[in-house]
Amino acid sequence: MKATKGKTASKQITETDSAKLKELFVDGLKDIYWAEKNLAKALTKMSKNATSEELKAAFEQHTTETEEHAKVVEQVFEMIGEKAQAKKCAAMEGLIEEANEILESTDKGTMVRDCGLIMAAQKVEHYEIASYGTLRNIARTLGHSDVADLLQQTLDQEGETDHKLTELAEAYVNEEASVE
């Protein structure tokens, strides 16, 4: 079914289409579940290595939120009658590795390091925003408005975290990094 400009796709989803879409949805949930569980560990490391107390606090807060996000994904699995299961997320693995490379290539105690950590964290946030937004849309299409609402709440939190990181960068981190 194609949606053309100014028109919307009809709601005629066959059982086969629905089964294939649910399979894709479950696969996406497995992916983001792995991502959230592994991101919590990475955020702890990022917090310990941040220079700014505000950035450390932001990473600590997001670690707590990330652990909650994993629980939300578990709840979504339950709501759709599936077992919570993680599938290695190559994208998140790469983003975490990139954050580790920033730690290795920047000096401890510098705003340049914080600038790099913010950059790495925002890449992660944008991946999560894309994932949760897509999963929310698929949940709606499959008729799971309750699941979509739950995913929207997580999506909103991810957007808030991204905004907070931008504020830190613009408030002082980037400026102080430019003079180091």
Side-chain angles (χ1 to χ4, degrees):
M1 281 175 269
K2 290 184 180 176
T4 56
K5 195 171 186 173
K7 297 181 182 179
T8 57
S10 73
K11 282 284 199 180
Q12 299 173 348
I13 299 174
T14 67
E15 283 186 33
T16 303
D17 290 338
S18 183
K20 288 178 183 177
L21 190 57
K22 183 178 179 185
E23 184 180 327
L24 180 67
F25 181 69
V26 170
D27 191 61
L29 287 173
K30 290 176 181 179
D31 187 79
I32 199 69
Y33 188 49
W34 188 96
E36 294 289 18
K37 289 181 118 3
N38 285 272
L39 179 58
K41 297 173 201 164
L43 284 167
T44 298
K45 183 176 181 180
M46 292 168 77
S47 176
K48 287 178 182 175
N49 285 282
T51 303
S52 156
E53 290 302 319
E54 289 174 277
L55 185 56
K56 285 180 188 211
F59 285 146
E60 288 168 7
Q61 178 183 345
H62 197 54
T63 301
T64 301
E65 291 171 353
T66 297
E67 291 164 350
E68 285 301 314
H69 295 165
K71 290 176 186 172
V72 168
V73 175
E74 290 170 0
Q75 187 179 351
V76 168
F77 275 116
E78 187 177 316
M79 291 168 76
I80 63 168
E82 296 286 334
K83 181 182 175 219
Q85 199 175 351
K87 180 188 99 178
K88 189 173 189 176
C89 175
M92 186 59 74
E93 182 180 45
L95 292 169
I96 291 170
E97 178 55 35
E98 191 170 329
N100 287 330
E101 289 172 7
I102 287 169
L103 288 173
E104 290 171 14
S105 67
T106 57
D107 293 329
K108 185 177 180 178
T110 64
M111 285 298 159
V112 169
R113 173 173 277 186
D114 278 9
C115 185
L117 288 173
I118 289 171
M119 179 172 57
Q122 286 194 290
K123 287 179 183 182
V124 165
E125 291 310 308
H126 287 233
Y127 174 78
E128 290 178 306
I129 289 167
S131 296
Y132 281 111
T134 301
L135 289 169
R136 178 214 49 215
N137 292 342
I138 294 172
R140 283 182 185 155
T141 300
L142 292 172
H144 296 293
S145 59
D146 51 347
V147 168
D149 292 345
L150 211 52
L151 294 170
Q152 181 63 53
Q153 291 172 19
T154 303
L155 178 59
D156 291 344
Q157 282 187 332
E158 299 295 3
E160 290 166 14
T161 298
D162 182 55
H163 183 73
K164 184 184 298 180
L165 290 167
T166 295
E167 286 179 341
L168 284 172
E170 291 177 344
Y172 66 93
V173 172
N174 291 356
E175 190 65 35
E176 288 184 27
S178 74
V179 295
E180 286 184 339

